[in-house]
Amino acid sequence: MATTDEAAVVPYKKYEERTERMLKKRLAQLPAALCITAALTIGGVTQASDDWPSMNITFSSALPQGGLNLAFEWWADELERRTDGAITTSRHYSASLMGAGATLPALARQRIEAGYMAAAYFPGEYPLWNVAGVPFQTSDPVAQVRAFYELYQENEAFRAEWERNGVHLLVLQPLPHGIMGSREPINSVDDLDGKRLRMVGYVAAALEELGVETVGLRPEELYESIQRGVVSGYGAWPFDLIPVSALHEVAPYHYDLGFGHYASAAIGVSKRWWDSLDPKVQDLMTEIAEEFMFEAGMPLIVQMEENACDRILDHGGSVTVFSDEDIATMEELVGSASVDRWLAAATERGIDEQVALDFREQFLAKYESHKGEVPYESGARACAAR
């Protein structure tokens, strides 16, 4: 299997000055009470000069460095800087420590302190969170993050979902749109019929309504599976992660099907470990997490998407956006299949049907209330225009 293209990994420090300028601009738009707190983090000033406890945080991810690990990398670097090196991290990528499915039990047992998690990895353990996998419902990264983060604070059933798994939700990763990749060109919706694609989550139900045979594969298996012809591509993948995972090498044709977000991703930490921390440490960790989610993360992700476009086009690949007509056709064909499958799975796992429906309604209402607060243009659509 080919190794990750190092040029595709964009370290956050390269964009630190840009992020600081953006933060200062956003501060001017915040209420005064929020500015007082946020200003303490600008320019590397920590909130206190007290000594911090010395500790090392072990982090595991099944994905390569960069990409969807950006949230942890930024958070961890900031944490080390603001504690003068007292709190450090050991980072394990590409399933070098454990596979994606082992992350949740490892967090619950405190074998690791932090891990990358995607809702679709754990449908049985996180039935409510997996509403993120329903297509045609969200397309604004920060609005999606804000909706889930607020529900974690306010919705008893959603918070209980995390707590019974022994995990504290630390950082939600803003996600670009889910992009389909294929070994062969696809010219219309009809060309999807008969394709065999890697897909997890409830977008799979949508693709199956279009005649696609979906296959569940772990992220670390995907490159080789496409290379060997086990699958002809993947059904949805974050645009910025495509070259980080080197998938453009084996599936050069990329398509925005108009599904919007296909999932939600987060950094979870062991609740047992979290509860043992000094409240002052918890407050600093939360402050940095919120700064990434609501302020610093999007400029970095936009830059990652621009970088992804460069790598894909330089490698001879293409990016195509399906027409509004094709997207409307797909949405009509899919109907309620994805929502129905999500609701059935949630109730099978013990969630009351009305609780599940209320949760989705609250999620979409919160999403709509935050939509457009941070301007965003899909990197895939911008790339297609090139």
Side-chain angles (χ1 to χ4, degrees), residues 118-140:
Y121 292 173
F122 309 108
E125 294 83 0
Y126 287 92
L128 293 178
W129 188 24
N130 268 278
V131 75
V134 176
F136 305 114
Q137 65 178 6
T138 63
S139 58
D140 182 316

Side-chain angles (χ1 to χ4, degrees), residues 178-181 197-199 203 207 233-237 255 257 259:
I179 304 301
M180 183 179 72
L197 302 176
R198 182 266 185 187
M199 191 63 245
V203 172
L207 290 170
Y234 48 89
W237 200 263
Y255 301 90
L257 302 182
F259 284 169

Side-chain angles (χ1 to χ4, degrees), residues 99-368:
T103 304
L104 188 58
L107 288 170
R109 296 166 188 162
Q110 204 179 328
R111 289 181 53 209
I112 56 174
E113 285 78 38
Y116 170 81
M117 301 172 60
Y121 292 173
F122 309 108
E125 294 83 0
Y126 287 92
L128 293 178
W129 188 24
N130 268 278
V131 75
V134 176
F136 305 114
Q137 65 178 6
T138 63
S139 58
D140 182 316
V142 175
Q144 190 213 43
V145 163
R146 283 188 177 275
F148 276 128
Y149 193 66
E150 288 180 8
L151 286 168
Y152 181 70
Q153 315 299 324
E154 302 169 10
N155 186 283
E156 183 178 340
F158 189 48
R159 191 173 184 94
E161 192 167 85
W162 290 84
E163 292 184 347
R164 69 169 167 264
N165 285 301
V167 178
H168 172 80
L169 172 58
L170 181 66
V171 187
L172 285 154
Q173 168 81 61
L175 291 177
H177 294 180
I179 304 301
M180 183 179 72
S182 176
R183 292 177 62 179
E184 303 87 20
I186 294 172
N187 299 312
S188 69
V189 175
D190 293 338
D191 287 350
L192 293 172
D193 192 8
K195 292 289 183 185
R196 196 165 193 259
L197 302 176
R198 182 266 185 187
M199 191 63 245
V200 295
Y202 299 110
V203 172
L207 290 170
E208 287 163 9
E209 290 295 316
L210 302 176
V212 173
E213 179 186 354
T214 61
V215 180
L217 295 170
R218 295 191 299 271
E220 60 268 27
E221 299 175 319
L222 183 52
Y223 183 103
E224 187 175 357
S225 295
I226 298 173
Q227 190 176 47
R228 292 169 49 206
V230 176
V231 293
S232 60
Y234 48 89
W237 200 263
F239 184 64
D240 61 330
L241 188 58
I242 292 168
V244 174
S245 306
L247 294 177
H248 63 303
E249 297 176 1
V250 289
Y253 302 98
H254 307 88
Y255 301 90
D256 186 336
L257 302 182
F259 284 169
H261 293 126
Y262 72 103
S264 177
I267 304 304
V269 297
S270 166
K271 188 175 186 303
R272 184 189 305 174
W273 170 76
W274 178 262
D275 290 344
S276 73
L277 297 176
D278 186 301
K280 181 182 74 170
V281 176
Q282 291 179 340
D283 288 346
L284 178 62
M285 291 179 173
T286 300
E287 178 184 284
I288 298 172
E290 291 179 350
E291 184 179 319
F292 176 84
M293 288 187 285
F294 307 144
E295 300 290 348
M298 280 312 299
L300 304 178
I301 289 167
V302 168
Q303 184 60 56
M304 289 285 285
E305 288 193 292
E306 291 174 1
N307 185 68
C309 182
D310 292 341
R311 302 304 304 169
I312 289 169
L313 298 183
D314 288 348
H315 200 268
S318 64
V319 180
T320 303
V321 177
F322 270 36
S323 69
D324 291 343
E325 182 180 355
D326 281 339
I327 292 172
T329 297
M330 286 190 294
E331 190 168 2
E332 183 178 354
L333 289 171
V334 169
S336 64
S338 295
V339 175
D340 292 345
R341 184 178 292 188
W342 166 75
L343 183 60
T347 55
E348 286 170 7
R349 291 170 175 114
I351 303 295
D352 180 81
E353 181 175 310
Q354 193 58 52
V355 169
L357 290 171
D358 289 346
F359 176 79
R360 180 170 183 259
E361 182 178 346
Q362 291 172 36
F363 167 66
L364 293 177
K366 285 184 176 295
Y367 169 81
E368 289 296 327

